[in-house]
Amino acid sequence: MRVTSSSTGTLALAGAWALLVVLTLGSLGVGRSLHASAWLTPIVAAIVWLKCTLIARYFIEANRAHPFIQWALRLFIVFVPIWLLLTAWLGERIAGWTTL
Amino acid sequence: MLPAILTPSSCLSLIAAAPAMPGALPPAGDAGRLPTAHDGPPRLDTPAASGRIPGNKGIWVGITCVFVEFAVLFSVYFVSRAHFPTDFEAGHARLSLVAGTTITLLLLTSSLLIALSVNAIRDGKRRQSIGWLIGGLVLALGYPVAKYLEFRWNLAHGIRGDSGIFFTVYYYLTLTHLVHGFWGILGMLWVLARNLVGAYSSAEYSGLEALASYWHVTDMIWLIIFSLCYVLV
């Protein structure tokens, strides 16, 4: 199996980069327009997950990587969105559980 | 054994561990060759059976350590946020959005150019690969410059490490990431030197790919920090 640029071609990389830029700029707009809204956190969590998945899929080529690498990436990428949702919905409980 | 925070020497030694390792790409001579009866049963550690390792095993041990390190740091962020939600909401709005966005665009574009450099070397276009690599390095060097200007702007606006819990967390997250950015830049200089002397080819480029993997992960972590510190207002 020889890996060539056709596996993740220049166009695919440029497309992923363009989407990442759009998501970055879009997230700024979302942050400002949904200020203090309950929807802000789930949307930001989804954007974080999507941006990291794009990096893993197109730049790191995780879809063809060893299963350990795939799982390490998946776990790390889902880690922050889960924390975001937990803090938004169970913030006071988490504060209670982590009070010394 | 790797330290939790990679040092320059450990990073460079990982990236320099270029010789083919189990799971790395086979030489180009095997390209597209179908297995025959003489090959015997497939080995479990072959790329076809278990997936390939981008770069080399060493860099992925290091990257896994970085994942654990930042998982701990992000956990501290969220526990602090759960305790002081109003401090975090007020803190976000005081940071320079221009600086955060500039750094994000620099790192994203640098990551793209490094990925294109890997693609070019795979196609045997070494000069093109060097060109993309230099482009990626120049943009990567913009990161510490932008961060320096941001910190100057912060201090001018009274934002210091002891200005509140949000800013304490913001400084340790961004400074830790900046340290990792420096390791990536040093790695880029190293692989650029190796590429210039012809150490990489379409058959052997694991060192360059290891650096690329590390840089993409550094980019990924910044995207998370950007959302946590600049977007969630």
Side-chain angles (χ1 to χ4, degrees):
Chain A
M1 180 183 73
R2 184 190 174 203
V3 181
T4 65
S5 60
S6 61
S7 52
T8 304
T10 305
L11 270 180
L13 283 173
W17 172 83
L19 191 51
L20 284 162
V21 170
V22 168
L23 285 168
T24 297
L25 300 177
S27 67
L28 291 173
V30 167
R32 291 300 180 267
S33 59
L34 292 181
H35 172 67
S37 162
W39 285 100
L40 177 60
T41 303
I43 290 174
V44 169
I47 290 175
V48 167
W49 178 84
L50 185 55
K51 284 163 84 174
C52 292
T53 302
L54 282 170
I55 297 256
R57 167 65 180 81
Y58 289 97
F59 288 0
I60 301 174
E61 299 175 340
N63 56 318
R64 293 183 296 114
H66 189 279
F68 175 83
I69 294 171
Q70 291 191 23
W71 276 106
L73 283 165
R74 276 187 202 133
L75 287 174
F76 185 72
I77 288 170
V78 84
F79 182 78
V80 166
I82 287 177
W83 254 123
L84 266 171
L85 297 176
L86 285 176
T87 342
W89 293 330
L90 305 169
E92 286 183 11
R93 280 195 192 180
I94 291 172
W97 293 333
T98 54
T99 298
L100 294 175
Chain B
M1 186 176 139
L2 282 166
I5 298 176
L6 295 174
T7 62
S9 56
S10 64
C11 270
L12 293 178
S13 62
L14 290 175
I15 291 163
M21 303 176 74
L25 283 178
D30 287 346
R33 187 176 73 83
L34 294 171
T36 67
H38 302 292
D39 291 341
R43 285 172 48 188
L44 286 178
D45 61 349
T46 58
S50 56
R52 61 186 294 273
I53 295 174
N56 53 53
K57 284 182 180 174
I59 199 70
W60 280 99
V61 173
I63 287 172
T64 307
C65 291
V66 172
F67 282 162
V68 173
E69 177 192 2
F70 274 92
V72 172
L73 296 182
F74 288 141
S75 297
V76 172
Y77 170 95
F78 285 111
V79 170
S80 306
R81 192 183 175 95
H83 280 268
F84 307 98
T86 49
D87 287 25
F88 273 70
E89 282 166 24
H92 293 299
R94 289 182 62 193
L95 292 179
S96 167
L97 207 55
V98 174
T101 310
T102 304
I103 292 169
T104 306
L105 296 179
L106 282 170
L107 290 179
L108 276 177
T109 312
S110 172
S111 232
L112 170 69
L113 299 189
I114 298 295
L116 290 173
S117 175
V118 173
N119 266 4
I121 201 76
R122 281 174 181 167
D123 289 345
K125 299 171 183 169
R126 195 168 66 86
R127 290 176 73 90
Q128 205 178 81
S129 168
I130 290 169
W132 290 125
L133 192 52
I134 290 172
L137 174 63
V138 169
L139 289 178
L141 286 170
Y143 170 37
V145 173
K147 194 42 96 178
Y148 168 72
L149 294 174
E150 183 189 5
F151 284 166
R152 269 187 56 179
W153 185 91
N154 284 352
L155 294 176
H157 288 77
I159 298 173
R160 302 187 324 202
D162 58 357
S163 298
I165 181 71
F166 170 76
F167 296 108
T168 305
V169 173
Y170 152 81
Y171 272 113
Y172 85 65
L173 266 178
T174 52
L175 280 170
T176 306
H177 187 270
L178 185 60
V179 170
H180 288 79
F182 275 122
W183 303 158
I185 289 168
L186 287 173
M188 275 183 219
L189 287 169
W190 176 250
V191 295
L192 177 60
R194 300 226 337 132
N195 213 345
L196 284 169
V197 299
Y200 303 131
S201 66
S202 59
E204 168 38 42
Y205 53 87
S206 57
L208 175 60
E209 199 178 31
L211 175 273
S213 300
Y214 180 79
W215 193 242
H216 298 323
V217 167
T218 306
D219 186 18
M220 182 190 287
I221 293 169
W222 174 260
L223 292 179
I224 296 171
I225 293 174
F226 175 71
S227 294
L228 296 184
C229 291
Y230 299 87
V231 174
L232 275 176
V233 181

